[in-house]
Amino acid sequence: MASNPIQLPPPIPPQLQLVEETWGPPEQQGTFPPGPDGCSFYRSLARQLDGNPDHYWTIRDAVLDHYIREFINQGGQGGLYSRYTAFDNNFPSHRYGPFFFALSAPDPAIARPPNELEGDVLLVICNALNIRIIIWDDSYTVLHQRGAVACPEYHMKQVPDVEGREGLRFDSLFHDESGATLVDNLLRVKHDGQPLDIREITWWRDPHPEDWTDNHTLHALGEKDTRTRIPYPPQQHREYKCYNEHLPVVERWQKPDLRKMIDSFTVFTVSVSEPRNIRAALDLMDYALQSAPAQEIPVSCQGAADFRPLKRYVGIDAEFSPVRLTDGDVLIESAGQDETTIRQIIAGREEGLCTVLTIAVDRHLVFSFYLLHMLQNADETTVRELSLLFERVIFNQQLLKLWFNYQSDIVVLDATIAHMYQGTPRANHMSKLQGGWGGPAELITPTFKVHSQYFNHQRPNHLQFPQGQLGCELHQPGSNHTGLKCPCAETGNIDITTILDFICRQLGYTRGLVGASDGDIATFPITNMARSWTTVGYRYNYGKFTDSLMGTDRLHQLLSFFKEVPRLVGQRFNADMQSNWYTLLKPGMEREQDMMGYNIGDVVGIALLMRLLTTTDDRL
């Protein structure tokens, strides 16, 4: 049975939280004119533009200066002179005073604006500052909006009358960078009892005695701590506890007061192992992206005056496991083939297919799609629903999918999709790039390792990764060993390490952080800054990448711990878990906190890194 779209409540509007402004004593708040000088709008705007509402006069003066200059220019390049002259002549001065005065104290004219032809104070302010302003009411309905959509966007809330008086004022609405709005929306969906199963997982670490000392503060003050020092446990000995709603109630840890814990981290998880749940999961993903922090942020494209919203993005990773033809399968595939083809079939008898496709919306929501399990247990809806997943996520140009070193992931996804459409033959290709690491490359004849009566159709063009040699702004030209070119521009799949290299190049730095060998950064050639997409940043792994950018983030220790889980679990059981780890990532792993931590850590880290890159003011 095909899945139905999930019924979702209207989301809490877009990532905004109120910052109350107070002007004067309580008895004056809400009186007309507010502030009481009519400048609460400028104060609220100054809080967002400058960080200090007391600097409102600089914004007011910039607006008045813009208005005067347009009159001096008398129809220069801006073409606003005639319009501003009409505003000045037609403005209802009996109600607001002269138009110039309304620009000086704009609250009344913005709160209850006249006809647009008589005078548009808000439009002049937007023109002067080259911004876009949206004003909301108490019910989060848009009252007014002015300014070009390509300009940076700022939000205000118009506070209603107080006790029947005529007063209105404006408060700042900031983007919610904490994700609280997203969490509120997810809790509403979770509690509504939708058929989609949303479960919470929380990790925390009990405070070690040293966590409660203030040694860092004492050291900064040049004083000495006279208390007995207790050795701080190394990372492999730190014990993280986990509250996991995938477990029966009797098997769960009791969740403590997380305000007293160290490195606490809560995430909502959705596991999809049946095709009928894919559509609902995708609807929830789109719903969550509407209120996730740091989405669609205006970024400079051509110059300071050209801003466009960044596309929505998710962190993504594909775990894969080798699937091997049995000897009997090899005999079947080799029947009637010549000796060379048989040798190539044997060379390609083992292939990696995607077991789990993991997607993170910021740090709060993670989806796990068990692709290989669904292929091995196919029904009449499997191909249709999986195709929808690939259409709406992997091949959706309007959604950025951020990977870390995705060279192998794209090949595995391509092979996994190929198994859904076995009516399209697979071309011979090299086992890897010529000159790569390890043994010599060899030509292989790929075969299908998973079969079903539902996999006999032709692969559609819109589910094909681009082929050829062309590169993009992030990569030099080049194709991989299966003929695929970089998937950035045409599918929206991007390696986050190349984004950082691109930022470094745009800022004029001669060397990036990724791709250089240890101890060799000083001699790393500039021409290598834009790499071919097939090139992996060897000796600069995910751990080093997060250490470089997230070393001071409170989640860094926990994310690093997640990455070390296979090795630490192997030490615990005195077994080699690293080589077998990927075969354990399958339906049912939700009950295992170590596996879920490992699976979640990478995609959450990537999403947080992108948020850091797009919101930081630190050019270094």
Side-chain angles (χ1 to χ4, degrees), residues 247-259:
L247 292 173
V249 175
V250 295
E251 297 181 24
R252 300 175 190 169
W253 280 94
Q254 185 70 31
K255 189 162 64 172
D257 183 353
L258 296 178
R259 294 172 297 180

Side-chain angles (χ1 to χ4, degrees), residues 325 328-337 341 345 446-448 451:
L325 289 179
D329 291 332
V330 171
L331 290 176
I332 295 174
E333 295 287 346
S334 303
Q337 303 292 344
T341 302
I345 290 174
T447 55
F448 297 111
H451 297 275

Side-chain angles (χ1 to χ4, degrees), residues 161-279:
D161 294 357
V162 178
E163 298 179 359
R165 291 175 287 184
E166 292 295 318
L168 290 169
R169 74 171 190 273
F170 295 91
D171 294 333
S172 302
L173 287 171
F174 283 84
H175 283 276
D176 171 24
E177 296 183 358
S178 69
T181 305
L182 171 58
V183 171
D184 287 343
N185 284 332
L186 292 176
L187 286 172
R188 293 165 67 203
V189 175
K190 185 173 184 285
H191 294 157
D192 282 348
Q194 294 288 345
L196 195 63
D197 197 16
I198 304 174
R199 304 288 183 96
E200 175 191 332
I201 304 180
T202 296
W203 286 268
W204 72 90
R205 179 165 59 86
D206 291 327
H208 186 267
E210 185 174 335
D211 293 327
W212 290 103
T213 67
D214 52 359
N215 288 323
H216 296 295
T217 304
L218 292 171
H219 179 72
L221 296 174
E223 301 178 10
K224 184 177 289 187
D225 185 5
T226 58
R227 289 168 290 190
T228 302
R229 296 293 296 274
I230 300 176
Y232 195 68
Q235 177 165 294
Q236 60 265 33
H237 294 150
R238 298 180 197 173
E239 181 180 357
Y240 285 93
K241 297 178 181 177
C242 180
Y243 168 81
N244 186 353
E245 287 187 347
H246 291 280
L247 292 173
V249 175
V250 295
E251 297 181 24
R252 300 175 190 169
W253 280 94
Q254 185 70 31
K255 189 162 64 172
D257 183 353
L258 296 178
R259 294 172 297 180
K260 299 180 180 179
M261 298 297 108
I262 306 297
D263 301 340
S264 64
F265 169 53
T266 297
V267 63
F268 295 95
T269 62
V270 175
S271 297
V272 180
S273 58
E274 298 181 1
R276 62 188 176 92
N277 292 326
I278 290 176
R279 196 178 303 261

Side-chain angles (χ1 to χ4, degrees), residues 215-391:
N215 288 323
H216 296 295
T217 304
L218 292 171
H219 179 72
L221 296 174
E223 301 178 10
K224 184 177 289 187
D225 185 5
T226 58
R227 289 168 290 190
T228 302
R229 296 293 296 274
I230 300 176
Y232 195 68
Q235 177 165 294
Q236 60 265 33
H237 294 150
R238 298 180 197 173
E239 181 180 357
Y240 285 93
K241 297 178 181 177
C242 180
Y243 168 81
N244 186 353
E245 287 187 347
H246 291 280
L247 292 173
V249 175
V250 295
E251 297 181 24
R252 300 175 190 169
W253 280 94
Q254 185 70 31
K255 189 162 64 172
D257 183 353
L258 296 178
R259 294 172 297 180
K260 299 180 180 179
M261 298 297 108
I262 306 297
D263 301 340
S264 64
F265 169 53
T266 297
V267 63
F268 295 95
T269 62
V270 175
S271 297
V272 180
S273 58
E274 298 181 1
R276 62 188 176 92
N277 292 326
I278 290 176
R279 196 178 303 261
L282 295 175
D283 290 344
L284 179 62
M285 187 184 304
D286 292 341
Y287 177 81
L289 284 168
Q290 295 180 46
S291 54
Q295 296 284 342
E296 299 182 291
I297 292 177
V299 294
S300 175
C301 297
Q302 302 291 329
D306 186 9
F307 285 84
R308 298 178 187 173
L310 186 70
K311 293 178 179 179
R312 291 176 177 176
Y313 64 87
V314 294
I316 190 168
D317 187 35
E319 301 291 354
F320 47 92
S321 180
V323 181
R324 184 179 177 86
L325 289 179
T326 65
D327 291 340
D329 291 332
V330 171
L331 290 176
I332 295 174
E333 295 287 346
S334 303
Q337 303 292 344
D338 58 69
E339 183 177 341
T340 300
T341 302
I342 293 174
R343 185 168 58 250
Q344 292 170 183
I345 290 174
I346 295 175
R349 71 183 301 177
E350 185 173 278
E351 183 174 26
L353 296 180
C354 181
T355 52
V356 188
L357 183 67
T358 310
I359 302 173
V361 178
D362 201 68
R363 50 161 288 192
H364 299 287
L365 179 62
V366 173
F367 297 85
S368 299
F369 295 92
Y370 295 103
L371 302 188
L372 182 57
H373 171 81
M374 286 187 269
L375 290 179
Q376 292 173 334
N377 298 273
D379 60 26
E380 65 276 6
T381 67
T382 300
V383 173
R384 181 176 68 247
E385 299 303 312
L386 283 177
S387 297
L388 186 67
L389 168 63
F390 292 120
E391 288 172 12

Side-chain angles (χ1 to χ4, degrees), residues 12-28:
I12 298 172
Q15 311 158 240
L16 301 175
Q17 56 186 1
L18 179 64
V19 177
E20 295 287 353
E21 312 283 9
T22 56
W23 324 114
E27 61 271 13
Q28 288 185 341

